[in-house]
Amino acid sequence: MAITVPSHASAVIIGGGVVGASVAYHLTKLGWKDVVLLERKQLTCGTTWHAAGLIAQLRATQNMTRLAKYSQELYFSLEEETGVATGFKRNGSITVALTHERMEELRRSAAMARAFGVEIDEISSTEIATLYPGLNVEDAVGGVHLPKDGQGDPVNITQALAKGARNGGAKIIEGVKVTNILKDQGKAVGVETDHGNINADYVVNCGGMWAREIGAMAGVSVPLHACEHFYIVTEGISGLKANLPVLRVPDECAYYKEDAGKILLGAFEPNSKPWGMDGIPENFEFDALPEDIDHFEPILERAINRLPVLAEAGIQMFFNGPESFTPDNRYLLGEAPELRNFFVAAGFNSVGIQSAGGAGKVLAEWMHKGNAPMDLWDVDIRRMMPFQVNRHYLKERVSETLGLLYADHFPYRQVETSRSIKRSPIHHRLEEKGACFGEVAGWERANWFLPESELKKGVTPAYEYSWKRQNWFSHNAAEHEAIRNKVGLFDMSSFGKIMVMGSDAEAVLQKIACNNVAVEVGRIVYTQFLNADGGIEADVTITRLADDHFIVVTPAATIRRDMNWINRHIPDGAHCSILDVTAMESVLVVMGPEARDFLQPLIPQSLSNDDFPFGTMREIEIGHAMARAHRVSYVGELGWELYVSSDMAVHVYDALMTRGQDHAVKLCGLHTLDSCRIEKAFRHFGHDISSEDHILDAGLGFAARINKQSGRFGDFIGRDAVMRRKEEGVKSRMMQFRLKDPEPLLYHNEPVLRDGEIVGFLTSGNYGHHLGGAVGMGYVPCRDTGDDVSAMLASDYLINVAGVDVAAEVSFKPMYDPDALRMKA
């Protein structure tokens, strides 16, 4: 039978796995009729068909958990809706800890789960053995049990979604390969296939292992790479209890799934095997890869000890199939920054079945609404950098990331592969001084410094991970003390820097930014970009360099997101353009109460408060170089950010360190930047503030100038939402917490209890060395319209740390220097 494709569709979805079927299903639920899903071979034939089908609720963050819970609820109801059995059953799951560090992780996860509304129980080794008869628990420390987790049939789940999509009017066409993406004026306008062209309003890349190549057709970076993924299925085991919970033993890199009296044993081994470096064979369909028993044998040996019945069980199937992984183990979702109306949902890192329902729903709503329906920054494709599509980079990185799924998820854990991609010009200088580097967006950044005395002993600056105080804790304390009492130096060259230029630059920024940027040359404006709901899309500073020239400074991780947001909102015909100049300038940050005394001998221009007030920029001379000095602070102290041409950065750094021979300056890392900022209650984008957090709830209403003069392009985006919230009152309030017990540590996601009831969770946490305890930030919902600031402060607050409630003091103002006198001194 000849295959025909329509000439037009509202959306063309490429890829017939579970994710593509979910996107089609949810688009039809929103009323989209002419949706077309194209599959090069047959539905599920790539990765979906051999997925293990584990369906868990709990993920690393609240919003990822929301999506996973939705997936489970959807699969539970699909059979009734479509008549296709999904095989979904709630048999629960158990995760076993074999070390005390792993048990600490599970206790923290359990506390987080309760804050997210997920049913979970901490269980003993005896209880584990009762729930999973025959399991060897002699060396188990304990575990957690999630009774509502489950498992399902990946193929049938996909077929049920596909049937639901067809019932809603979608066309699902198998045997059609997309050969190119049609583009016009920066938008995707259709696809070219081996059966003809389809013009379309939207194109969605759900290509799984092929998504990188499909993205390349569109000029879009989709960084993922396939890895070999191994499991065995035993023959029937006599006496095996039916409906056993899904079992995970992450310390042995293994998971167990009972089905029809057999055991599926799968692995997430620490050193995985990337596959498909030279492309995936054209005829790949329901295919398996060659067996590698030697690679799997260590997992199997430990599993036989863990579940002794396996020793006598025959192996019915040894399976090796490819699955795609991303550089950071989080999937890729959203509209591509390079091409409008081209959406991506790919790279699901072995959690595609449990993620597909929720991911398909929010992507469909994103397409329908024009903006993400919730905070999806965890998986937003705009977090990825263009270089990350490099195949050699990906091959090396995914050899590690597969195993990280079951590795200890220690705080501050750094990836080890594909490093040293982006380096500051002074990287080698910092390395000589004992820097221990972390990586963000490819940038190597000094997170902490080993003292010179330790370096002389031959100690290497490297992390020793733990849930307790790590080996750098005291070094961080010393750096923190220097910032609070003396002077310190940070290398912040990784700051994203966006030049906004043109005769309409001011008018464009007046529309995009909620604060007033119509200021004199040399002024620095702290502001947010808001969406139509008043949620925070970006948290930046904007400095006016000339009448038609501004620079937007943003975190390294959000540069592509913010570039994309600005570009999307430059009105047609506006004389305005933007340019990423991040690599052109290094940023050396000098902070602390002695910053002025330290810097002034190096700079002929006056740094006095009268001549150089807070929130201003001046061009300066330093050494033999020219630079811009921005007087701002993210640590709450007097200080300046020095923007220096990258080719002069080493010279300026050397001048600063030479000055350090007369006036001591301490090199400081990013951990100290964070521990200082949280004492000052400065918000961190991606943790404390996001697209779902209203600017007034976040306590940043001072930056939303609702009465500022509108530019030629109208009021700022989100102004109406700010006005409404002012009239209605805030729904929740951002608060700062300090634990009264100085011993426990906070990271994020710890539950917040108000008067004994869980009301929220911490959005970020760190240790406040000056305040003498762990400090966190978090939103507390208002109970009613009469729940004002004084009433909220009068309540009793506890923070649950790994299952233990710890008393906390709270504040709306910063606990450190609430009137900001120090940084304005």
Side-chain angles (χ1 to χ4, degrees), residues 362 365-366 369-376 380 382 531 537 691:
V362 293
E365 291 172 353
W366 193 334
K369 180 183 176 183
N371 200 32
M374 59 188 285
D375 173 28
L376 294 168
D380 193 321
R382 292 174 295 177
N531 55 41
E537 295 286 349
S691 60

Side-chain angles (χ1 to χ4, degrees), residues 17 19 200 274 315 332 428 459 475 505 530 590 660 665 722 746 775 784 790:
V19 177
I315 296 178
L332 307 172
H428 61 295
V459 179
H475 310 324
L530 305 183
V590 179
V665 61
V722 175
L746 298 175
V775 180
D784 51 51
S790 59

